[in-house]
């Protein structure tokens, strides 16, 4: 039946896509429900950065390591292109205090085998020759970081799942759930009902609202990030650049005027990010925000002020109260599996999807995921 599958996945972002990809590989019949279009959420609106040194050592970092190998496989096997490039990446610091905090962070990563160092002043130009080092005082450099095309990666997962029989219903919004013996029996959408043995919730920033229908209150919030994209130009930026606040953990402490950017394989640059706390899923872009972004970029890269900006957009991305993902089976509704609040999900999505499929099918279970259990909010 068209509305019945082994697994119903709600949300066609990179997380839902990766889970669908691995479940169909294991022979499961999968239905993906998406309120808008595939990759229309955060997964279609981001910078494509593969970031390592804002990951918590442990499972999250292991996911990042495994994902790198899995990414290489998709292209090598001719499945889909990700444009993955490992270029090294930097996080920018503007004062001594940030640099000192950065030193502690990179030591932690070096101790577990990553190649990281603090670059001071003109040393930053070894990685980014065009950056103005009178503005940026220091940077945390990590050799293993890189970039990919987030759009082709997300669509690649979903397309491959469809090749293996998954069905994707776009413009199909999940509105509610009906229960039987505390299990989800029916997923109610604006296009009718869907039925599955397991329900996967991969709804990113929308998770808290949707879960309120089940009287659950997962403490998952969201911010709105704006980016601008330029015309393609010769290579002028080497690797991903993120604000130092990502690395030292002060992102949500009030300074929204941040610089994060990537030059992609096709030569375009995505420049961000004006990230703010927002309600009502507002994806608008503001004039002030856009001008602020452009000025901020020009200050850091004075030689690159002739770039043509062709588009500006916003996307909504989640973060969880305790900064950990919400990942695993619900205790309250035992056939519901959550995969939400995974920050910077592109770095870890392949391993996250693979592990979710292993758990759902019952092939293996890594007890370290217990730390991410939805039960902590139930
Ligand atoms: C400006 C910006 C820059 C970023 N840069 C990076 C970066 O460089 N690298 C990186 O790794 N990460 C980055 N991120 C974060 C990254 O984009 C997210 O971590 C990732 O996309 C989350 O994927 P997801 O599948 O969980 O969520 P989403 O991609 O948001 O997918 C969730 C989907 O669920 C759907 N949905 C929600 N509710 C319902 C419902 N009721 N019924 C049906 N469908 C529903 C939504 O429409 C959406 O498509 C950035 C984010 C922003 C905003």
């Amino acid at each position: 039946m068209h509305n019945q599958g082994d697994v119903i996945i709600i949300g066609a972002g990179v997380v839902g896509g990766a889970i669908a990809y691995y479940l169909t590989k294991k022979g499961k019949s999968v239905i993906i429900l998406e309120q808008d279009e595939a990759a229309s959420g955060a997964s279609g609106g981001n910078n494509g950065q593969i970031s390592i040194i804002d990951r918590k050592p442990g499972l999250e970092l292991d996911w990042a390591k495994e994902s790198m190998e899995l990414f290489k496989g998709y292209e090598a096997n001719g499945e889909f292109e990700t444009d993955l490039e490992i270029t090294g990446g930097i996080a920018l610091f503007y004062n001594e205090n940030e640099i000192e905090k950065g030193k502690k962070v990179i030591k932690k990563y070096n101790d577990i085998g990553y190649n990281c160092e603090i670059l001071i002043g003109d040393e930053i130009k070894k990685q980014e020759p065009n950056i103005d080092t009178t503005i940026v005082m220091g940077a945390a450099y990590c050799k293993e970081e890189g970039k990919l095309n987030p759009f082709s990666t997300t669509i690649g997962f979903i397309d491959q799942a469809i090749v293996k029989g998954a069905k994707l219903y776009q413009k199909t919004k999940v509105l509610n759930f009906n229960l039987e013996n505390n299990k989800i029996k029916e997923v109610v959408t604006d296009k009718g009902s869907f039925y599955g043995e397991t329900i996967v919730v991969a709804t990113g920033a929308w998770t808290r609202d949707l879960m309120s229908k089940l009287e659950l209150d997962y403490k998952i919030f969201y911010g709105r990030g704006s980016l601008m994209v330029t015309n393609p130009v010769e290579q002028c930026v080497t690797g991903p650049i993120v604000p130092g606040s990502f690395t030292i953990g002060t992102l949500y402490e009030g300074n929204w005027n941040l610089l994060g950017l990537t030059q992609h394989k096709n030569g375009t640059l995505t420049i961000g990010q004006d990230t703010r706390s927002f309600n009502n899923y507002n994806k608008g872009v503001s004039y002030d925000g856009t001008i602020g972004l452009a000025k901020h970029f020009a200050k850091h890269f004075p030689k690159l002020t002739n770039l043509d900006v062709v588009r500006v957009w916003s996307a909504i991305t989640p973060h969880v109260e305790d900064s950990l993902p919400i990942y695993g089976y619900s205790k309250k509704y035992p056939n519901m599996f959550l995969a939400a609040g995974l920050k910077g999900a592109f770095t870890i999505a392949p391993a996250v999807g693979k592990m979710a499929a292993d758990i759902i099918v019952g092939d293996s279970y890594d007890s370290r995921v217990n730390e991410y259990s939805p039960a902590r909010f139930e």
Side-chain angles (χ1 to χ4, degrees):
M1 278 162 69
H2 79 282
N3 61 349
Q4 199 154 358
D6 295 327
V7 183
I8 308 285
I9 297 177
I10 312 171
V14 70
V15 174
I19 296 174
Y21 171 86
Y22 283 105
L23 279 170
T24 52
K25 274 200 155 192
K26 289 175 182 286
K28 288 285 169 191
S29 66
V30 170
I31 291 175
I32 310 169
L33 304 175
E34 168 54 51
Q35 63 182 359
D36 197 341
E37 288 177 355
S40 62
S43 301
N46 68 85
N47 243 328
Q49 304 178 333
I50 296 294
S51 54
I52 300 293
I53 53 176
D54 55 350
R55 308 273 145 201
K56 207 172 158 217
L59 179 57
E60 211 187 325
L61 210 50
D62 286 356
W63 274 344
K65 203 173 239 173
E66 186 186 359
S67 293
M68 210 60 102
E69 295 312 308
L70 293 169
F71 272 130
K72 289 177 197 159
Y74 308 138
E75 290 203 23
N77 301 337
E79 289 183 288
F80 59 93
E81 287 183 7
T82 62
D83 288 353
L84 176 72
E85 294 175 283
I86 304 304
T87 52
I90 56 172
L92 307 179
F93 299 134
Y94 299 92
N95 56 53
E96 289 289 353
N97 182 30
E98 288 180 349
I99 291 174
E100 284 313 307
K101 284 186 182 164
K103 281 182 186 164
K104 288 193 191 125
V105 173
I106 65 150
K107 180 177 181 318
K108 203 166 65 181
Y109 288 89
N110 284 335
D111 287 350
I112 51 174
Y114 283 93
N115 288 291
C116 303
E117 59 181 306
I118 292 285
L119 307 175
I120 303 287
D122 275 356
E123 286 172 357
I124 307 169
K125 287 182 185 278
K126 285 194 290 195
Q127 170 74 357
E128 296 298 347
N130 287 314
I131 204 160
D132 185 342
T133 47
T134 62
I135 299 293
V136 183
M137 206 170 165
Y141 168 76
C142 177
K143 194 176 171 196
E144 286 85 1
E145 297 194 340
K147 53 199 180 179
L148 49 63
N149 181 328
F151 209 78
S152 62
T153 300
T154 305
I155 299 297
F157 279 132
I158 293 170
D159 277 352
Q160 287 298 312
I162 290 170
V163 167
K164 293 206 162 48
K167 295 192 193 96
L168 167 67
Y169 292 87
Q170 301 183 91
K171 302 285 177 192
T172 303
K173 181 173 181 165
V174 175
L175 303 174
N176 217 329
F177 304 91
N178 284 322
L179 304 173
E180 191 175 81
N181 298 330
N182 247 17
K183 284 190 166 180
I184 295 173
K185 186 184 148 224
E186 183 180 1
V187 178
V188 181
T189 78
D190 56 0
K191 303 276 161 56
S193 290
F194 290 82
Y195 305 87
E197 282 164 30
T198 304
I199 313 302
V200 173
V201 178
T203 44
W206 293 263
T207 305
R208 194 171 183 199
D209 267 357
L210 183 62
M211 291 295 92
S212 71
K213 313 285 179 203
L214 288 165
E215 293 181 359
L216 290 165
D217 187 19
Y218 298 123
K219 296 282 187 282
I220 178 162
F221 309 100
Y222 57 89
R224 185 184 86 179
S226 303
L227 293 179
M228 51 176 69
V229 64
T230 69
N231 272 336
V233 289
E234 294 279 302
Q235 192 193 314
C236 50
V237 173
T238 311
I241 298 178
V242 299
S245 54
F246 279 27
T247 305
I248 58 178
T250 53
L251 177 59
Y252 291 99
E253 287 180 9
N255 175 13
W256 304 103
N257 195 9
L258 306 165
L259 185 73
L261 67 133
T262 312
Q263 184 169 23
H264 300 272
K265 216 173 193 172
N266 66 2
T268 60
L269 276 84
T270 46
I271 301 169
Q273 48 206 54
D274 172 45
T275 303
R276 289 159 201 263
S277 218
F278 252 94
N279 293 321
N280 304 327
Y281 307 107
N282 181 337
K283 287 216 269 181
V285 289
S286 73
Y287 178 80
D288 288 348
T290 305
I291 296 295
L293 268 183
K295 282 191 178 154
H296 206 46
F297 173 74
K299 209 165 78 178
H300 287 73
F301 288 92
K303 289 188 209 146
L304 304 180
T305 48
N306 284 337
L307 300 176
D308 284 328
V309 172
V310 291
R311 199 161 71 85
V312 186
W313 70 85
S314 283
I316 293 162
T317 194
H319 57 101
V320 181
E321 188 180 60
D322 59 7
S323 300
L324 297 175
I326 301 180
Y327 184 85
Y329 276 111
S330 158
K331 201 169 171 191
K332 195 165 174 197
Y333 304 107
N335 68 332
M336 179 170 78
F337 187 98
L338 278 108
L342 296 134
K343 83 179 147 65
F346 280 88
T347 309
I348 53 176
V352 161
K354 189 166 175 281
M355 186 177 278
D358 283 343
I359 295 172
I360 290 166
V361 170
D363 282 352
S364 63
Y365 187 84
D366 183 332
S367 60
R368 289 178 300 168
V369 291
N370 293 348
E371 194 190 359
Y372 305 156
S373 169
R376 70 192 192 275
F377 295 110
E378 292 180 358

